Amino acid sequence: MTADLVLEGVHKSYGQSAVLHGIDLALAAGEMLVIVGASGCGKSTLLRLVAGLESLTAGRVLLAGQDITARDPAARDIAMVFQNYALYPHMSVFDNMAYGLRIRGRSRSEIARRVEETAALLGLGELLARKPRQLSGGQRQRVAMGRAIVREPKLFLFDEPLSNLDAKLRVSMRAEIRRLQRRLGVTSLYVTHDQVEAMTLGDRLLVLHQGRAVQLATPMEVFERPADSYVAGFIGAPAMNFLSATLLPGGGGADLGPLGRLEFADGPRPGPAGRRLTLGIRPEHVALDPAGIPFTVDLVEPLGSETVLIGRLPQGEMLALKRAGGPPPAETLAIVLPPAQFHVFDAASGLRLDPARAAG
Amino acid sequence: MSGCRDWLAHLVLGLGAALFLLPIWLAFCAATLDPAAIDRGELSLVPRLDHLGVFLEVLRHGGPGVGPVWRMLAVSAAMALAIALGKIAISILSAYAVVFFRFPFRRTAFWIIFVTLMLPVEVRIIPTYAVMADLHFIDTFQGLTVPLIASATATLLFRQTFVAIPDELLEAARMDGAGPLRFLWDVVLPVSAANLAALFVILFVYGWNQYLWPLLAATSPRLDTVVIGIVKMIGIDTSTEWNKVMATAVLALVPPVLVVVGLQRWFVKGLTEGEK
């Protein structure tokens, strides 16, 4: 697969404040890459730089082998779907979708054919004469996508397109976007703060944190092997539990203080004895065991098929756990933290520490 | 309770309307009276329907000191139209520049426009006259209209309208390939249509009612506006034919009223509709 969209050392600063600190990225043709991060991490800025709505401070953007860094948005052959749809309020659905083609001087018959094809694809055939204000939120979002699709661009950009929809519609539109993107095979960048969207839509995820790319990997890899404690806490709901620890001599285990000692199941970690660590374990991996550590439940969040329990360990550490079924029988439970499920991070840098052999 | 309040509201509205209509009705009745009767101060609230021909007469032949009223109405209409459309065209372009373009001293430019609010024609009338004289615009249609066209009020109003247009709309248009003029024509103007109509009504009436500047800038009878004409008909030495003056005054009211009534739906929408 050849790289279709390439970002090289993309920097963006507004005056003194740097928003993006050098992003490198290569998307294969037809790939859907989801950029995810908390608000203010620079993900929307990155998208707008690719669109040409903002100019780069340094770096290059290449699309299909051509350097488009200095090109006008219109000359980039990129279409964008906006968070608030940005439909032209005075134009009909047909005109909204046809506008870009008209400006590009396509013939009347070609425009009519392409708009109607796209409308049929999106189930908008009956609505072509309506104005945006006569449409529901979901229909508006479809029109916004239709406007992007009808131009047959080299690249789609999605800027949190589902965040204005209600929860149920969001789920169905999410599936529809995925289906359409696969079917059309257009390379896409999708920005979201919603980790469920990120996990379900992306071929790969790019996790941004404070203007830096923290991890670029498939969704399952991001979930199973988060690159640092920020990613570990950001992806997954409820968030991963973190405990402070220090490395034991030899690196084969960690000292969790009053909680005892932990033998690493997958091999020793590098570093001197006493190295400060952050150990992470996901709530679904915390198991109930009558012989385990006492756990006092503070808050019960029943989700139907499963229940989230938030509570305290004897020394006051907060911990969340997820168990199948309904609320627990008692307010005090006993839990075990299975050693095989721990993620090990360096406490100072936050970076993941893998077993010395694999890392070496 | 609400029925009672409705009744009261209608009473107040009716009284207000009567208060505004009374002088117009008086002028209408006076137009149909004998000139001599008005001179004696015998005003009537009942029109003499057999004298309605006075309106046709002033329209066709005018009165003492002035040409036919239809001509003056035409001059007034042309002037008011030129002022309203000229103001709108210039204000749209300047507001568009101030809102959508990043250029050096953008804020300064905006504040300079803002400051001219404090300089209406009456304040700058002598320098304006000198400039028009240097351009040989005195006693021409351009001289009558051009100095009244520059407008801070309209620029400010359009600025507010344009600022309310979401950024995403501009960005979507840029991605679609629309240049600045296309965006103005295809998106900004249609979206601001209601404000445009409202402003047109206000500016047309403003232009129609101009008195001081036309008095100075145009002396030849061929450029008499109807407002000037009314004053010219009130002679100082000769006896004034008050019925003709009143008839002209009533006729002078008709075009602005037609514009307001014709565009009132848009007018209200443009002044009250906030969200775009």
Side-chain angles (χ1 to χ4, degrees), chain A:
Chain A
M1 281 201 290
T2 55
D4 197 38
L5 174 73
V6 178
L7 305 189
E8 289 179 1
V10 170
H11 283 77
K12 177 67 183 175
S13 322
Y14 295 100
Q16 290 297 313
S17 64
V19 182
L20 292 171
H21 309 267
I23 305 288
D24 294 291
L25 198 59
L27 266 74
E31 184 179 7
M32 178 108 160
L33 184 111
V34 175
I35 305 172
V36 65
S39 58
C41 70
K43 56 189 191 299
S44 285
T45 307
L46 186 59
L47 201 69
R48 295 164 57 81
L49 289 173
V50 175
L53 296 170
E54 309 249 1
S55 55
L56 282 74
T57 309
R60 291 206 304 162
V61 180
L62 294 102
L63 183 60
Q66 289 179 317
D67 188 342
I68 58 165
T69 315
R71 274 198 209 163
D72 204 55
R76 292 186 176 206
D77 207 2
I78 293 176
M80 184 156 168
V81 179
F82 293 87
Q83 179 176 355
N84 64 2
Y85 324 132
L87 300 177
Y88 308 119
H90 57 290
M91 292 187 198
S92 68
V93 169
F94 183 95
D95 289 337
N96 261 289
M97 286 164 65
Y99 189 61
L101 297 176
R102 285 201 183 119
I103 289 179
R104 283 170 174 77
R106 298 298 152 82
S107 74
R108 194 177 285 263
S109 58
E110 188 196 344
I111 292 173
R113 180 179 56 76
R114 278 167 68 169
V115 170
E116 272 155 27
E117 276 174 17
T118 310
L121 183 72
L122 290 163
L124 290 169
E126 308 292 308
L127 308 172
L128 283 176
R130 298 235 191 126
K131 292 276 174 64
R133 66 169 177 277
Q134 297 165 305
L135 303 176
S136 69
Q139 289 169 334
R140 285 182 205 183
Q141 189 56 65
R142 269 166 216 269
V143 177
M145 282 176 29
R147 187 169 63 178
I149 291 170
V150 79
R151 279 190 24 213
E152 296 171 10
K154 287 204 191 78
L155 179 70
F156 281 141
L157 303 176
F158 296 90
D159 188 6
E160 310 211 18
L162 304 182
S163 47
N164 283 6
L165 300 178
D166 61 57
K168 197 177 170 196
L169 207 51
R170 204 177 301 165
V171 174
S172 65
M173 284 301 286
R174 196 170 73 205
E176 190 163 333
I177 288 181
R178 189 67 184 127
R179 185 177 59 79
L180 274 171
Q181 195 271 337
R182 285 255 166 87
R183 179 165 162 189
L184 299 168
V186 178
T187 315
S188 305
L189 270 184
Y190 188 108
V191 159
T192 183
H193 63 270
D194 181 317
Q195 49 159 315
V196 182
E197 269 173 42
M199 294 289 290
T200 50
L201 279 173
D203 292 316
R204 284 192 297 163
L205 297 190
L206 172 70
V207 185
L208 275 189
H209 180 48
Q210 294 177 344
R212 289 175 211 279
V214 198
Q215 189 166 15
L216 172 63
T218 63
M220 277 323 283
E221 196 181 339
V222 171
F223 185 80
E224 285 169 353
R225 289 173 43 86
D228 68 7
S229 53
Y230 173 78
V231 178
F234 188 76
I235 299 286
M240 187 184 277
N241 299 298
F242 292 111
L243 299 164
S244 302
T246 51
L247 197 62
L248 288 172
D255 180 3
L256 281 150
L259 289 175
R261 296 184 165 204
L262 170 80
E263 289 281 322
F264 295 136
D266 49 356
R269 262 57 177 185
R275 179 179 190 173
R276 302 198 60 77
L277 302 174
T278 301
L279 299 183
I281 184 162
R282 294 201 182 274
E284 55 269 37
H285 293 145
V286 178
L288 295 184
D289 184 339
I293 320 160
F295 174 76
T296 316
V297 178
D298 286 336
L299 186 66
V300 179
E301 291 181 335
L303 300 172
S305 61
E306 54 194 20
T307 303
V308 175
L309 304 175
I310 297 164
R312 280 169 291 121
L313 295 176
Q315 270 67 42
E317 294 97 338
M318 296 294 290
L319 200 78
L321 72 87
K322 195 149 87 175
R323 66 192 289 263
E331 284 202 5
T332 308
L333 305 167
I335 56 165
V336 288
L337 307 171
Q341 303 293 355
F342 271 101
H343 301 259
V344 185
F345 306 100
D346 179 57
S349 66
L351 290 178
R352 177 184 192 83
L353 292 178
D354 279 318
R357 190 159 25 102

Side-chain angles (χ1 to χ4, degrees), chain B residues 85-170:
Chain B
L85 295 180
K87 267 181 189 288
I88 284 176
I90 288 195
S91 312
I92 282 176
L93 290 177
S94 49
Y96 188 61
V98 166
V99 173
F100 289 106
F101 290 82
R102 301 282 168 272
F103 53 90
F105 304 112
R106 190 168 67 107
R107 290 187 69 87
T108 318
F110 174 73
W111 282 109
I112 289 174
I113 294 172
F114 194 85
V115 162
T116 61
L117 268 184
M118 285 178 257
L119 298 171
V121 183
E122 289 78 3
V123 175
R124 56 186 160 93
I125 201 152
I126 290 172
T128 305
Y129 189 89
V131 171
M132 289 296 117
D134 288 345
L135 290 172
H136 303 289
F137 273 9
I138 297 302
D139 236 2
T140 64
F141 186 71
Q142 305 91 285
L144 205 56
T145 50
V146 169
L148 297 171
I149 281 178
S151 177
T153 336
T155 308
L156 294 179
L157 238 135
F158 278 124
R159 179 184 173 271
Q160 290 317 106
T161 314
F162 292 174
V163 163
I165 293 176
D167 288 343
E168 283 85 354
L169 224 48
L170 169 65

